[in-house]
Coordinates of all heavy atoms in Angstrom, one line a residue:
M216 N -42.8 118.1 110.9 CA -42.0 119.3 110.9 C -40.5 119.0 110.7 O -40.1 117.9 111.1 CB -42.1 120.2 112.2 CG -43.6 120.7 112.3 SD -43.9 121.5 114.0 CE -42.6 122.8 113.9
M230 N -41.1 113.2 112.6 CA -41.5 111.8 112.5 C -40.3 110.9 112.7 O -39.2 111.4 112.5 CB -42.2 111.5 111.1 CG -43.6 112.0 111.0 SD -44.3 111.6 109.4 CE -46.0 112.0 109.7
E293 N -66.5 126.1 117.6 CA -67.3 127.3 117.5 C -68.7 127.2 118.2 O -69.2 128.2 118.7 CB -67.6 127.7 116.0 CG -66.3 128.2 115.3 CD -66.6 128.4 113.8 OE1 -67.7 127.9 113.3 OE2 -65.7 128.9 113.1

Side-chain angles (χ1 to χ4, degrees):
M216 293 174 60
M230 285 181 168
E293 291 174 351

